[in-house]
């Protein structure tokens, strides 16, 4: 048998390894700077820290900017979890109806949702701000959840609709034959089948909301309910910026997301590639 | 358990396409009715109308004497086994089988008891905790059966449940399904395009084509007395041989002219099929099952000279491909039925039967090995001949 590990394979492997290192570099810089003392930051920014200053994390956590990291973490969790959960419920139900009840109404709604993905959020900020202010939703968690659900429902519906269309109708028909009503069919049969795309939606929208700075600054600014990106930004001063603390705060902000990604990555990849295994 | 009656049932789609036309079927309590026909013949649509998954455009469907046209599928007390089983992938085997009971609100203890009993009947008791994706095709098939059986419904509907299995497993599951159905005695409608499945499993068979019921009856009747060219060509493997013949009268005898050869029909043929008289001095299609062509000819059979093309050794029998000089039949019905056997079959039929040559297949003793190119005399069982009208394709009786 011919040796399949050829010189070409080796070159490919080296290239891919270099590419992987290039992707890991920002993460390395983030972690290494977050562990450095301020002096070392400017003298040797790219090297690994000589002493590991773990106290940077506690200092960043205890800093009192914008209500503090703990409060910002709570805000981020409430807004992200609330929005993502609502998006999953509304998005999956809407997509199910669109995919399973073909007709002019479904087609029109689907087109509207797709247009919703295209419209840039920044265009809608001003009228939304005025509307939210008149409704008393500025500076509230509910307001932020409504905002994110509104902004991300089109993308969610788009993703779910594509996936629902790949699910054979046999499952629903079998459930109907088995005497299950519409609600039982959806809750016990259809929704569990959507798990891969639900993972994808949760990660995509969760990342977007968790990392957002712009909307949080505008709709939550000064309320004491700012999210993590806004709280981190408050480390950046006009005359003095403690970059090591900024990086430590970013690492703290990143941690929950990383854990979630590690748990859900398998579902997410299946959601992207489509289909379910019988 | 209940009888099922379909009365003038039709399915018309919004684009005007008619999938099922004026279907009348009486399925008695405990019957195993097989709907068979080529793809697109309307058999699955008919089944889905009985299930309630497809709206009925015309006619009435009765289950146990009760009109069920507008009854929800889940309330019809009918269980269905789907072609790809439709097992819920996120549920264990136990949960899959228990699902219909859960929907019916059966208490937990009874649910467990009934699922375990059903699993024991199907021999899947040790798989109850497994997920469907860890099961083989045959095991999945059993779970799907279990989900249908556990409800103890009035009727079973099965939509080509064996089509995803390999040939060996299909044979095994065929007898398994028949056994379970016979044991439970539940009225069953079974859809398949495989005529072997239809013949081996059904207590009754309904052959469909282009949405129209062609013939309904016991496997023996369908095989032995096909109502038309399509049924004759579709049922049987290898299929019936067809050849165009000239029917004439010589004295008191009826004579079939097959190319340059002649077969004198016994007097009782006319008594059995008086309608043959209408075709006197005209063309008619005759059909001969491969097993009714013998080599060497039996003492009392008529003889037909043929040229050997090739032979296929199948172990217990040999299929002898011969050609005779005669006018071939290329009716749509035969081509469509042949296509169902294999996509290449119509072309092969036409290849073998071109101009004034007709290809025939005889089922003979495997110890006889005729040489290709040689001329043989085949015995023809005249009392087993089938006659069909050339225009309408209907059997001449």
């Amino acid at each position: 048998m011919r040796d399949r590990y050829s010189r070409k394979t080796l070159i490919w492997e080296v290239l891919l390894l270099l590419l992987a290192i290039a992707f890991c570099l920002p993460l390395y810089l983030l972690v290494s700077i977050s562990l450095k003392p301020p002096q070392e930051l400017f003298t040797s920014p790219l090297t690994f820290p000589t002493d590991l200053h773990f106290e940077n994390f506690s200092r960043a956590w205890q800093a009192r900017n914008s209500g503090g990291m703990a409060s910002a973490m709570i805000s981020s969790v409430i807004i992200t979890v609330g929005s993502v959960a609502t998006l999953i419920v509304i998005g999956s139900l809407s997509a199910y109806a669109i995919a399973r009840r073909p007709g002019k109404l479904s087609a029109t709604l689907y087109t509207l949702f797709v247009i919703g993905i295209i419209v840039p959020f920044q265009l809608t900020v001003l009228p939304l701000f005025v509307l939210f202010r008149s409704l008393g939703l500025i500076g509230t968690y509910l307001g932020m959840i409504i905002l994110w659900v509104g902004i991300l429902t089109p993308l969610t519906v788009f993703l779910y609709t594509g996936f629902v269309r790949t699910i054979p109708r046999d499952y629903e028909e079998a459930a109907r034959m088995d005497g299950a009503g519409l609600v039982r069919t959806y809750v016990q049969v259809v929704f569990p089948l959507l798990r891969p795309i639900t993972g994808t939606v949760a990660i995509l929208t969760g990342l977007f909301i968790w990392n957002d700075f712009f909307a949080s600054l505008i709709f939550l600014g000064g309320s004491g309910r700012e999210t993590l990106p806004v709280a981190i930004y408050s480390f950046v001063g006009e005359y003095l910026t403690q970059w090591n603390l900024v990086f430590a705060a970013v690492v703290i902000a990143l941690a929950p997301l990383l854990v979630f990604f590690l748990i859900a990555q398998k579902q997410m990849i299946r959601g992207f590639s489509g289909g379910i295994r019988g | 358990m209940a009888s099922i009656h379909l009365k003038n049932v039709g399915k018309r789609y919004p684009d005007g396409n008619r999938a099922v036309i004026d279907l009348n079927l009486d399925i008695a309590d405990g019957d195993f009715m097989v709907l068979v026909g080529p793809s697109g013949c309307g058999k699955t649509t008919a089944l889905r109308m009985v299930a309630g998954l497809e709206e009925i455009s015309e006619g009435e469907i009765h289950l146990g004497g009760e009109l069920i046209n507008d009854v929800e599928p889940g309330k019809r007390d009918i269980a269905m086994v789907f072609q790809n089983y439709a097992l819920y992938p996120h549920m264990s085997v136990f949960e899959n089988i228990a699902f219909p009971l859960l929907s019916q609100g059966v208490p937990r203890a009874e649910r467990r008891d009934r699922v375990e009993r059903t699993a024991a009947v199907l021999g899947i008791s040790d798989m109850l905790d497994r997920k469907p994706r860890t099961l083989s095709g045959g095991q999945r098939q059993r779970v799907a059966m279990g989900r249908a059986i556990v409800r103890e419904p009035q009727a079973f509907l099965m939509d080509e449940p064996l089509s995803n299995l390999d040939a060996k497993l299909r044979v095994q599951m065929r007898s398994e399904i028949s056994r379970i159905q016979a044991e439970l005695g539940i009225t069953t409608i079974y859809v398949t395009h495989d005529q072997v499945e239809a013949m081996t499993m059904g207590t009754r068979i309904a052959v469909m084509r282009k949405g129209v019921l062609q013939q309904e009856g016991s496997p023996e009747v369908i095989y032995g007395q096909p109502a038309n060219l399509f049924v004759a060509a579709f049922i049987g493997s290898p299929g019936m041989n067809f050849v165009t013949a000239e029917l004439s009268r010589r004295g008191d005898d009826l004579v079939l002219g097959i190319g340059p050869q002649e077969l004198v029909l016994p007097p009782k043929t006319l008594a059995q099929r008086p309608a043959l008289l209408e075709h006197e001095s005209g063309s008619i299609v005759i059909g001969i099952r491969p097993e009714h062509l013998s080599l060497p000819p039996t003492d009392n059979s008529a003889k037909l000279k043929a040229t050997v093309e090739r032979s296929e050794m199948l172990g217990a029998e040999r299929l002898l491909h011969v050609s005779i000089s005669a006018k071939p039949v290329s009716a749509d019905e035969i081509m469509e039925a042949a296509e169902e056997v294999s996509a290449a079959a119509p072309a092969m039929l036409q290849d073998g039967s071109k101009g004034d040559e007709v290809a025939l297949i005889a089922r003979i003793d495997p110890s006889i090995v005729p040489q290709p190119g040689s001329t043989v005399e085949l015995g023809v069982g005249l009392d087993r001949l089938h006659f069909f009208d050339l225009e309408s394709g209907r059997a001449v009786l």
Side-chain angles (χ1 to χ4, degrees):
Chain A
M1 208 171 79
R2 247 184 75 207
D3 187 7
R4 282 191 284 177
Y5 194 88
S6 62
R7 180 186 288 241
K8 203 170 149 190
T9 319
L10 179 74
I11 294 168
W12 267 114
E13 275 188 7
V14 171
L15 280 175
L16 289 172
L17 215 63
L18 290 174
L19 197 69
I21 291 169
F23 273 99
C24 288
L25 206 59
L27 194 69
Y28 160 75
L29 286 175
L30 180 72
V31 177
S32 76
I33 292 175
S34 71
L35 290 168
K36 282 181 184 179
Q39 310 86 320
E40 204 179 324
L41 207 69
F42 296 102
T43 51
S44 49
L46 296 180
T47 57
F48 199 73
T50 44
D51 291 318
L52 299 178
H53 289 260
F54 285 105
E55 73 276 8
N56 286 351
F57 292 106
S58 55
R59 281 179 61 204
W61 183 257
Q62 283 157 4
R64 287 279 143 242
N65 340 37
S66 294
M69 283 288 283
S71 152
M73 179 77 88
I74 291 168
S75 292
S76 279
V77 168
I78 292 174
I79 291 168
T80 307
V81 171
S83 306
V84 170
T86 315
L87 274 167
I88 286 170
V89 172
I90 293 178
S92 63
L93 277 169
S94 315
Y96 183 55
I98 287 172
R100 287 299 193 238
R101 295 241 187 275
K104 275 187 187 160
L105 181 66
S106 291
T108 312
L109 282 173
Y110 186 65
T111 312
L112 278 176
F113 279 122
V114 174
I115 291 170
I117 301 173
I118 301 164
V119 175
F121 164 61
Q122 289 77 359
L123 270 185
T124 61
V125 166
L126 196 61
L128 274 178
F129 186 83
V130 174
L131 179 71
F132 272 50
R133 195 174 53 190
S134 63
L135 292 172
L137 291 172
I138 297 291
T140 65
Y141 292 139
L142 181 66
M144 281 313 282
I145 292 172
I146 293 173
L147 180 78
W148 284 123
V149 170
I151 291 169
L152 293 171
T153 292
L155 176 70
T156 309
V157 170
F158 176 73
L159 290 172
Y160 268 116
T161 306
F163 194 84
V164 172
R165 284 181 180 150
T166 67
I167 298 179
R169 278 173 193 262
D170 284 4
Y171 294 116
E172 291 139 82
E173 290 182 342
R176 276 180 80 192
M177 292 300 298
D178 287 343
L182 204 61
V183 175
R184 187 188 289 278
T185 303
Y186 181 79
V187 174
Q188 294 192 344
V189 176
V190 177
F191 190 69
L193 293 176
L194 299 176
R195 210 161 63 183
I197 196 67
T198 301
T200 309
V201 166
I203 287 186
L204 281 183
T205 57
L207 264 179
F208 195 89
I209 298 167
W210 187 268
N211 290 334
D212 172 75
F213 173 77
F214 182 62
S216 301
L217 185 70
I218 290 175
F219 288 85
L220 291 175
S223 67
R225 292 195 175 101
E226 288 90 345
T227 55
L228 281 167
V230 180
I232 292 167
Y233 186 68
S234 58
F235 282 99
V236 181
E238 194 177 347
Y239 303 107
L240 180 71
T241 300
Q242 292 178 292
W243 285 110
N244 51 346
L245 295 192
V246 171
F247 278 62
V250 170
V251 171
I252 293 170
L254 207 70
L257 223 56
L258 213 60
V259 172
F260 178 65
F261 178 76
L262 288 176
I263 295 168
Q265 62 171 335
K266 209 166 129 190
Q267 303 289 351
M268 187 169 106
I269 290 161
R270 267 167 61 194
F272 277 133
S273 56
I276 44 167
R277 285 184 294 170
Chain B
M1 276 140 278
S3 58
I4 302 171
H5 300 287
L6 281 80
K7 205 169 144 193
N8 307 113
V9 170
K11 177 71 189 177
R12 193 189 295 267
Y13 288 106
D15 61 2
N17 185 26
R18 298 180 77 185
V20 176
I21 303 162
D22 203 23
L23 179 62
N24 288 287
L25 273 180
D26 285 336
I27 304 161
D29 192 358
D31 255 1
F32 195 120
M33 167 65 82
V34 179
L35 297 185
V36 66
S39 305
C41 73
K43 56 191 188 295
T44 296
T45 309
L47 186 85
R48 288 171 59 83
M49 284 197 281
V50 177
L53 297 173
E54 203 82 56
E55 265 182 49
I56 301 160
S57 316
E58 298 147 4
E60 293 176 355
I61 297 179
H62 297 262
L63 176 71
E66 193 189 326
L67 183 69
I68 55 165
N69 279 35
D70 299 319
V71 179
E72 268 291 298
K75 301 218 166 87
R76 292 189 181 197
D77 200 11
I78 291 175
M80 184 158 165
V81 177
F82 289 79
Q83 187 169 1
N84 61 4
Y85 320 131
L87 298 178
Y88 311 124
H90 54 286
M91 294 185 198
S92 67
V93 169
F94 181 93
E95 289 165 332
N96 262 285
I97 299 176
F99 188 78
L101 303 179
L102 193 71
S103 303
Q104 285 174 353
V106 173
R108 180 189 286 262
E110 190 188 336
R111 232 159 45 211
R112 174 157 288 280
D113 185 46
R114 278 168 70 175
V115 171
E116 282 170 356
R117 256 188 297 140
T118 305
V121 170
L122 293 161
I124 50 172
S125 299
D126 54 339
M127 297 167 201
L128 290 176
D129 295 329
R130 288 167 65 179
K131 289 275 170 69
R133 66 168 172 272
T134 66
L135 304 178
S136 68
Q139 290 165 339
R140 287 180 199 197
Q141 173 65 57
R142 281 166 211 263
V143 178
M145 287 285 294
R147 199 169 61 184
I149 291 170
V150 76
R151 291 170 51 183
E152 295 162 12
Q154 294 203 58
F156 282 150
L157 306 179
M158 302 191 192
D159 186 7
E160 308 217 22
L162 304 183
S163 59
N164 289 339
L165 303 181
D166 62 55
K168 200 173 171 190
L169 201 55
R170 208 177 308 161
V171 174
Q172 192 188 328
M173 286 307 293
R174 228 158 54 189
S175 57
E176 187 86 338
I177 291 175
S178 298
R179 174 185 69 81
I180 293 166
Q181 195 272 341
E183 264 176 34
L184 301 174
I186 294 179
T187 315
T188 301
I189 306 182
Y190 185 104
V191 160
T192 180
H193 65 272
D194 182 346
Q195 53 93 21
V196 179
E197 256 172 50
M199 290 293 289
T200 52
M201 298 175 81
T203 54
R204 298 189 75 74
I205 298 175
V207 185
M208 293 183 71
R209 176 182 179 240
K210 294 182 177 171
V212 179
L213 178 67
Q214 303 291 306
Q215 189 177 6
E216 188 264 321
S218 67
E220 292 78 10
V221 167
I222 297 284
Y223 188 79
Q225 298 158 39
N228 57 38
L229 269 179
F230 178 78
V231 177
F234 190 77
I235 301 291
S237 177
M240 190 183 275
N241 298 299
F242 296 101
V243 57
T244 310
E246 301 301 320
L247 189 66
S248 58
R249 188 184 274 270
R250 190 181 301 151
D252 287 341
D253 295 327
L254 275 180
V255 179
L256 281 174
I258 301 173
Q261 306 187 67
E262 283 188 343
L263 296 176
V264 180
L265 294 175
K268 66 174 182 186
T269 311
L270 194 55
Q272 286 166 344
R273 294 182 173 86
L276 273 178
L277 275 180
E278 294 164 22
H279 295 79
E280 199 184 313
S281 311
S283 295
I284 196 165
V285 176
I286 59 168
I288 318 163
R289 292 265 179 221
E291 58 271 31
H292 300 141
L293 288 173
S294 54
L295 186 74
T298 51
D299 292 343
N300 53 357
S301 63
K303 292 169 187 68
L304 205 56
K305 274 203 178 100
T307 308
V308 176
E309 300 291 341
R310 63 183 196 281
S311 71
E312 291 173 279
M313 170 62 182
L314 299 182
E317 64 190 21
R318 182 181 295 278
L319 296 182
L320 184 67
H321 295 251
V322 299
S323 63
I324 60 168
S325 184
K327 200 171 156 203
V329 181
S330 55
D332 289 349
E333 290 94 329
I334 296 173
M335 291 304 156
E336 198 183 327
E339 199 172 86
E340 199 54 37
V341 178
S342 95
M348 279 162 63
L349 263 178
Q350 276 169 336
D351 268 1
S353 308
K354 51 191 171 227
D356 51 1
E357 289 274 296
V358 176
L360 304 179
I361 298 176
R363 203 190 289 269
I364 63 170
D365 190 302
S367 62
I368 302 168
V369 192
Q371 288 306 306
S374 63
T375 303
V376 292
E377 262 195 339
L378 292 171
V380 182
L382 291 178
D383 52 339
R384 313 300 289 270
L385 287 183
H386 299 266
F387 300 89
F388 302 95
D389 184 285
L390 194 61
E391 296 297 317
S392 67
R394 281 197 207 103
V396 176
L397 299 170

